[in-house]
Amino acid sequence: MFGDLFEEDFSFVSNNQCGKGKKSKSKDTETPAPREFTNLSGIKNQGGTCYLNSLLQTLHFTPEFREALFSLGPEELGSLEDINKPDVKVRIIPLQLQRLFAQLLLLDQQAASTTDLTESFGWNSNEEMRQHDVQELNRILFSALETSLVGTSGHDLINRLYHGTVVNQIVCKECKNVSERQEDFLDLTVAVKDVSGLEEALWNMYVEEEYFENDNLYRCGACNKLVEAAKSAKLRKLPPFLTVSLLRFNFDFEKCERYKEMSCYTFPIRINLRPFCEQTHLDDSEYIYELFSVIIHKGGCYGGHYHVYIKDVDALGNWQLKEEESKLMSKEKDQKETENVKEMENPLTVLKEILSEEESKQIPVDQLGQKLLEKKGVSWNKKYRKQYGPIRKYLQNHSQIFLLSPDENKVSLKEMYHKLQFGSDSQGQGLQSPSQDSDVQWTSESLCTVLKDNTSGSHWFDLNDSKVQPIKEKDIEKQFQGKESAYMLFYRKSQLKRPPEAQANPRYRVPDHLLNEMDAANIELHKRRMDCDSADYNIDLHLHLGSHYKLYNGALHPSLSRKDSVLDLTIDKRKTLGDVRQSIFQLLEFWEGDMILSIAKSLPAGLHLYQTLDGDEMTLAGIGLADGADVFVWNGKEVGGMEVLPGLDHEPVLLNVLRLAGYNEGGRGQHFRESQHVIPSSAELSTLWKALASPGGIILKNSSGSDRELENWKVICEEDMKSTVRSVGLADGSSILVLDSHDQSLVNMASGNLTAFTHDISWLQVKNFCRLEAEEKQVKITATVETVMSDIKIKAIQELQLGEDLVDASCLRPVNESGKLLSPVPEDYTVKEAELKMGSLLGLCHGKAPTSTQLFLYFVVASDLQGGHEMEIVVEESASARECLNLMLDKSGLSGDSWHLRRIDWCYEAGEALSEEGATLKELNVCSGDTLVITEGKLPPKGFLKVPIWWFKPLMHFGHQESMQDQVNGMMGTLRVSPAGDSPTYVQSDIGLCYAGDIEISAEAFLEDLKIQAMTLPSFQKLSVPSPEFLRAWTLESKHPGKLLRNNQQQLNEHKLGGRTEICLEPLQKEENLSPSDLLLRVQMGIPGERDYYHPVDLVWDISKECTAWALRQRLAVHYALPVEKIRIAKYFPEKFEWMTISSWTQQISKKKRKKKQESLQSAPYHLKDGDIIGVKNLLLEDGKDFSTVRDDIGKETQRQRAMEKKKSRQAQRLQNNVSSEGKVVNKHHKPEVALSINVGIFR
C-alpha cells in the first residue's frame, strides 16, 4: 500500500486553498488516465491512505448520504474561494467531500485525489503515510462532519442516517422491577473470537440473557436487597444504515502480543433483525437489511492493506465479465445439444411423436414397431429391447402417458397429456417428458438469471485504491476468513428504494456549480489527452550524413564534430518512409543523386550499417523504427571513396590485445602492455595472426570469464586459422594474448593452456621476528599461488641476509591486522593451500613449523585470562588431553595434578572442559590455532557433577533507623534461622547469598545426598541444622533463588541439573516436605497508615484444586483471620520495584461468564511461582489502594537514573562513531505513535 508514497496527484479542478499562506503540494505533470471499462473512478493512495479510500468509497456509494451532502449549498457551507478571507467562515471538510464525490461521479479519470480533503483534515505528509484503523476513522470522520455541519440544515445528517439505540435491562425476579439504561450507537461492534458468524454474535448480544443467582446476586433498588435477576439487551431503534465493526484484533496475554482473528466468520447478504429488536410488531420491511459494502483488511495486526467490495445501488458502473459470459453461453449451448441428442435417442419421445402424427390418434401395438422401423430405420428389438424390454411392457410401464385399450391391442396418448403438449399455446416446443422438461426449464431460468444480472444495476465491484474490478456476489464468501478477511460491514434497509431517474445517472442531484466545474475539467482533460497522444506518436531520428563520415579500421567515424555530422529529425511515426525521405530532401538542399537510408548502430569500434530501409509506402511504426534510432544517409555504395560493407557479417569487432612486458621489481613480477585492434567479424583468424604476431609467435584467446583464470585461455591452433573471428566467439571487448617465441614457456603446447599467468605472479611480505640485527627489516618476495612455502622462506632468509642455519630452525607465521602472530604455515603447503592472500604479511620466527600430524596451540592460565598472556606449544594430534596438559604445565612453570583443560568461549572466558582426559586431541576435535585454558581443580569423574553451594541468608526487616537508600543498595543483616510451621516462620525483607564451597556428587544421587554432603562444608559448622529435612534447596539464577527443588528422594538428574547449575540452601528450624501441588509464597501484611510492611512470612498454599485469584484470597483470609472481602492483594516484582494488584473478584459475575474457566495465576500476567512476594492490605484499617513503599520509589528513581546514564553513554558512543566514520553527526529519530485526528473549525 506504500507503492505511491512519492506519487503526487495532478488535478485540473483543484487549486489548493486550504490554509492561508500554505504552499500547495506539487502536482503531477502527467495527464491522468481515463476511466477503465467499469466506468467507475478509484482513489489514489497517498502512501498510507488505503483505509481512508475504502471508507470514502463506501460513503460515495451510499446515495442517501451523498445526496444529503449535495443538498447543502454555498449559502450554508461557504465557498472555497473565500477560504483566505478572515471574516468569512468556510466549512472546508464538507465542501471538499462534495467536490471529491463530484469527481468520483463525473470526472473522466482513473483515480481521484484526496490531497485537498486530507489537507482540510489538517493532515501533513507524515499523517498521509501512516496507516490507521478504518473503524477508528469512521467514528472520527462522522464526529468531524457533525461538528462542521452545526448550524446548517444538515446538522442531523449523521444522526438521521446512522444513529441507533440499544437498551440494557435488568429485571428483578422477585418484584419484577426493570432497571433500564439506553445507549446510542453509530456502529455495532461485534465479537469474532469463538463466534461462527454475525447472526450468532447478535444472538449472544441481544437474545441471550445473563442471570444473577446463587452467590452472585443483584441488589435491587426497589427491593433494597440482593435478589436473583436477569440481564438482557435489545435494539430499540434501527438506523436506515447499519454499520457493523468486527473485532478481529485481540491481545494474547500469555504471549503479550496482539494478534488477528483469521477464523471463519460468516455474514449474510440479507439479514432480518426482528429477533434482536425490542419492538417486533412492525412490518417485515422495517427489519430487513441488505449488505452493500464490505471493507476488507489484508495483513496482520501491525500492518496491511484495506480495500472494499461495494454494491452499485444506482447502476453507475459497467459490470462486464465477458469471458465468463461467453463460457456460460457456450456451456448452455453444449448442454442443449447434448439434451437434444439424448432426446432423439429417448424411446418415449420417439413413440409419442409417432402417435401424435396419426390422424386417429390410435394405432395397434403390433403396427407401432413397424412404424418405428419406417421412421427411424431401426427396429425396437434391435435398438431398445435390451435396455427397456418388450414394447408392450414399456407402454404398460408408462401408463401416465400411453392409454392401452381393454384388450391391450391398441395404444393412444392420454388426452390430458396430449392437450398439454400439443395445444395451441405450445409454440412449437419439442416433446419432452415431465422430468426432462423440468431440467430444460431450470437451464433456461439459469441463463435468464445470468443475463438479467448482467443488465441490472445491483452489481458488486472491488475498489482497491486506484483499481476498480467487477466481482460476483459469491466472491464475498472468500472474505469470511483468512489473512484477507472482512473487517467492516455496511447494511441498508431493504425498504430504501432508489428513484428510476437515479439509475445509471451520475449527474442526479449534483449541484449546478459542481456540474459546471466537472464539465469544464473534462473538456480540459480531453484537450490535454489529445495533445498527449500527439506527443506520444512523435519520435526522434538521428540522421548521420554520409558526406561527413570516413571509413577506417572497418568502421565509420565522423570527419567533423557530431553537431555537424548528425541531424535530428522529429517526425510522427504514423507517417511513411517516403515522408521521411521528403523531409530529408527539404533539409539537405545540396543533395544530388540517389538517397539510401540504412539503419546504423554505434559500436565500440565505430558506426556500422545494417539493413537498408525499403518501401516508401510503409509507416515508420510498421518498419519498426523506434525513438532515438540512428539512420545513415548515403548513396548506398561508398563513403569517402571507400566501399562500405553493411550487415551483421561485416560487423567490426574491437579486440583487447595483450603482450607481455619485461620483469618489474614493483608490485608485480610482470605486467601487460595493452592495445586495441579492430577487425571485421567475418575475417579469418589467419588475417589476425599476420597483423599481430611475429614469426613463430602464437595467439591465445580468452574464451570466457576473467582474464585472471588460467583455464579461460586457449591457444589458437593451426587448424583454426581458417575460422572467422565471429565463429570462435570473439566479440567486442574480448582479450587475446600475443606471445613471442621466447615467451612460450608459459604455455603447455600439448593441452593448449597457460601454465602460469602474469596476474597470478604477485608478492608476499616477510618480516624478521628472529630477534637478530635485522629484526625490523621487511622484504617483498615474488610468488604465485602455486609457490611452496619452503621456497618463500628460503628466499626471504636470503633477502634478509640471515644465516643459512635458520632454514631448518625457523618457520613462517601469518600476521593478522592487530599484529598477532598466527599459527605457523606447514612448509609443504602452497600459497593457495595456506589460504594466503597476495600482499599478506608473514613473520619469520624461530621454531619449526608443525607437520601435517602436529597441532599448534595457544594456551593461557585461567588466572591470567584478563591479562591476555598467551603461550604457544606444538603437540602431536595423537597426544591425549592429559599429556597435552602436562606439556603446558611444564612450559608455564606450574606443578601439581589439580588442573584441567577447558576450551575458550566467544567471550574469551573458560568454557567447555575437555572432560575425557584419555582421549586424543584429534578425537576431541582440537584444531591448530585453538586456545585452551589451564583451569585449577580436578575434573569430576564421569557421571559426576561439580556443584557450587551457596547459603541463602534471609535478611531481617530493616529498622526505621536505617536509611531507605541503604535498603535499596542491599545492606545485608545477619544470618538467622527462624521457626518453621503454621505460624509466621520466615522473616525476609531482602536476600543475601554467601558462597560455601563446591561439592562433587553423582548425577544419580538423591537431593537428600546433596544436602548431607553440603552440611560437611566448613562454613556449615556455624549453623545447627539437625537433618537434611531442615534445608530448603533452590537453584540459583542470576544470583537470585530460582526453582525450588522438592522431594529429597528424587535423583539430581531428574531435576535436570546441568554442569553449571548452582544451588543455594536455606536453613529452617522445622522439617519441611513440600508436595508438587504446594506453592511457597512470601506474604507480608501492610502497616496501616504507613508505606511499609510487617515482616514477611512463608505461606504454603495447596493449588491442586485451583490456582485462581479467588482461591488465593480465601487462603490468605484464613491465614490472617480476616473476612475475604476485607483484604486486597498484590504481587511484587522486585526487579522493577512494582506491585501488580491481583483482581479482587468482588464484582458481580453473570452465570454465563462464571461458566468459563478462570485464568490461573501461574499464567500471564502474574506468572505466580515459588518464592514470590505477596502484599496484603487490611481494608478494615486502610483503603489499600497503594501497595508501593518508599523503598520502591527510591529503587525506581535509581533505575531511571541508571537508564538515563546508559542512554547518554550510548548516544555519546553513537555520536563518536558517526563523527569518526562520516565526519558529521547523524541522528536517527524514531517515529512516535500518533493518534488519528481531524481538525475542524468552530461554527457554533
Side-chain angles (χ1 to χ4, degrees), residues 150-329:
V150 168
T152 69
S153 59
H155 64 91
D156 61 343
L157 187 152
I158 302 299
N159 188 69
R160 188 172 70 247
L161 297 180
Y162 297 96
H163 176 263
T165 55
V166 174
V167 59
N168 296 285
Q169 295 179 340
I170 300 179
V171 181
C172 174
K173 287 193 174 183
E174 293 192 9
C175 69
K176 305 304 180 184
N177 178 62
V178 179
S179 175
E180 187 175 283
R181 179 169 54 88
Q182 181 173 296
E183 296 178 356
D184 299 328
F185 71 85
L186 292 177
D187 64 311
L188 292 179
T189 303
V190 297
V192 174
K193 185 178 180 182
D194 300 329
V195 181
S196 63
L198 179 61
E199 292 98 329
E200 182 184 348
L202 294 175
W203 185 273
N204 294 340
M205 294 168 64
Y206 301 119
V207 177
E208 284 196 356
E209 294 183 336
E210 297 181 4
Y211 297 99
F212 298 104
E213 56 188 9
N214 299 330
D215 295 335
N216 184 42
L217 299 176
Y218 167 72
R219 179 168 292 278
C220 176
C223 301
N224 197 22
K225 63 177 180 179
L226 295 174
V227 296
E228 293 185 352
K231 180 182 178 182
S232 63
K234 290 289 184 183
L235 294 170
R236 172 165 287 180
K237 177 197 169 190
L238 293 175
F241 296 92
L242 180 65
T243 304
V244 181
S245 299
L246 308 184
L247 287 177
R248 284 207 177 267
F249 297 116
N250 285 313
F251 190 82
D252 189 330
F253 286 98
E254 291 188 1
K255 297 181 180 179
C256 287
E257 64 181 14
R258 296 178 67 202
Y259 69 97
K260 181 180 179 180
E261 279 289 345
M262 300 183 187
S263 56
C264 182
Y265 190 89
T266 62
F267 47 87
I269 300 294
R270 190 178 176 91
I271 188 171
N272 188 343
L273 297 181
R274 186 191 295 271
F276 317 118
C277 293
E278 182 183 31
Q279 300 177 7
T280 58
H281 62 279
L282 302 177
D283 187 70
D284 278 346
S285 61
E286 295 289 340
Y287 306 103
I288 303 297
Y289 280 77
E290 295 178 350
L291 185 70
F292 76 95
S293 177
V294 181
I295 292 183
I296 298 155
H297 181 266
K298 180 181 180 180
C301 56
Y302 296 107
H305 179 66
Y306 290 96
H307 63 109
V308 61
Y309 286 177
I310 290 182
K311 184 177 182 180
D312 185 10
V313 178
D314 279 351
L316 300 175
N318 179 25
W319 192 91
Q320 291 180 352
L321 292 174
K322 295 180 180 179
E323 182 180 350
E324 295 190 8
E325 282 184 15
S326 60
K327 287 182 180 178
L328 180 60
M329 295 295 288

Side-chain angles (χ1 to χ4, degrees), residues 361-426:
K361 306 299 180 186
Q362 193 177 42
I363 190 172
V365 175
D366 296 338
Q367 295 181 14
L368 187 60
Q370 184 63 31
K371 294 280 186 181
L372 175 64
L373 180 62
E374 294 174 357
K375 188 172 183 63
K376 299 296 181 184
V378 63
S379 66
W380 176 273
N381 289 340
K382 188 174 181 179
K383 179 79 173 174
Y384 301 112
R385 183 182 179 91
K386 187 176 181 180
Q387 184 176 358
Y388 299 103
I391 191 171
R392 191 182 299 275
K393 185 177 180 181
Y394 182 81
L395 296 173
Q396 291 171 348
N397 291 338
H398 293 79
S399 58
Q400 75 275 15
I401 299 174
F402 303 108
L403 180 63
L404 290 168
S405 62
D407 58 1
E408 296 188 349
N409 289 327
K410 292 184 177 182
V411 62
S412 64
L413 287 173
K414 282 191 174 182
E415 187 174 352
M416 179 182 69
Y417 190 85
H418 181 80
K419 288 181 179 179
L420 178 65
Q421 295 296 318
F422 305 101
S424 59
D425 60 344
S426 65

Side-chain angles (χ1 to χ4, degrees), residues 963-1158:
S963 71
M964 287 295 178
Q965 189 63 49
D966 289 340
Q967 296 183 37
V968 173
N969 294 336
M971 296 289 291
M972 301 194 334
T974 58
L975 178 63
R976 301 182 186 174
V977 179
S978 51
D982 295 334
S983 59
T985 57
Y986 200 83
V987 179
Q988 178 210 357
S989 177
D990 211 335
I991 63 170
L993 293 170
C994 179
Y995 178 68
D998 296 341
I999 62 172
E1000 290 183 7
I1001 189 168
S1002 170
E1004 297 180 355
F1006 297 106
L1007 179 61
E1008 183 180 30
D1009 299 330
L1010 182 144
K1011 293 180 180 179
I1012 293 173
Q1013 194 167 340
M1015 292 167 61
T1016 63
L1017 295 173
S1019 60
F1020 188 84
Q1021 306 305 319
K1022 300 177 183 178
L1023 304 173
S1024 301
V1025 181
S1027 69
E1029 286 74 16
F1030 287 81
L1031 289 176
R1032 184 184 292 158
W1034 304 79
T1035 61
L1036 201 62
E1037 299 173 4
S1038 301
K1039 302 304 180 185
H1040 283 82
K1043 177 184 175 184
L1044 178 60
L1045 303 180
R1046 295 173 167 81
N1047 191 356
N1048 284 338
Q1049 300 306 314
Q1050 189 171 3
Q1051 291 182 337
L1052 297 180
N1053 52 15
E1054 294 177 0
H1055 283 291
K1056 298 180 180 179
L1057 301 183
R1060 295 190 178 187
T1061 302
E1062 300 179 71
I1063 300 294
C1064 64
L1065 298 176
E1066 177 183 353
L1068 305 170
Q1069 268 193 342
K1070 188 175 181 180
E1071 295 183 8
E1072 179 181 79
N1073 188 14
L1074 299 177
S1075 70
S1077 61
D1078 288 337
L1079 191 64
L1080 178 68
L1081 301 175
R1082 318 281 195 188
V1083 298
Q1084 53 188 27
M1085 175 65 75
I1087 302 175
E1090 298 184 27
R1091 295 181 64 198
D1092 207 347
Y1093 291 89
Y1094 292 112
H1095 295 175
V1097 297
D1098 282 358
L1099 176 72
V1100 177
W1101 177 29
D1102 183 5
I1103 59 172
S1104 57
K1105 293 183 179 179
E1106 58 178 341
C1107 183
T1108 61
W1110 179 253
L1112 177 58
R1113 282 172 44 78
Q1114 287 182 317
R1115 179 68 180 91
L1116 290 170
V1118 171
H1119 180 77
Y1120 285 109
L1122 290 171
V1124 68
E1125 67 273 8
K1126 295 300 179 183
I1127 63 172
R1128 182 170 292 158
I1129 59 177
K1131 178 188 170 180
Y1132 186 54
F1133 293 86
E1135 68 279 1
K1136 298 180 181 178
F1137 296 96
E1138 291 180 353
W1139 295 84
M1140 179 182 288
T1141 303
I1142 300 177
S1143 302
S1144 61
W1145 295 87
T1146 56
Q1147 66 268 31
Q1148 295 174 344
I1149 305 171
S1150 68
K1151 181 179 179 181
K1152 178 184 173 184
K1153 290 182 179 177
R1154 204 168 55 238
K1155 289 179 183 177
K1156 295 183 179 179
K1157 184 178 179 181
Q1158 296 183 22

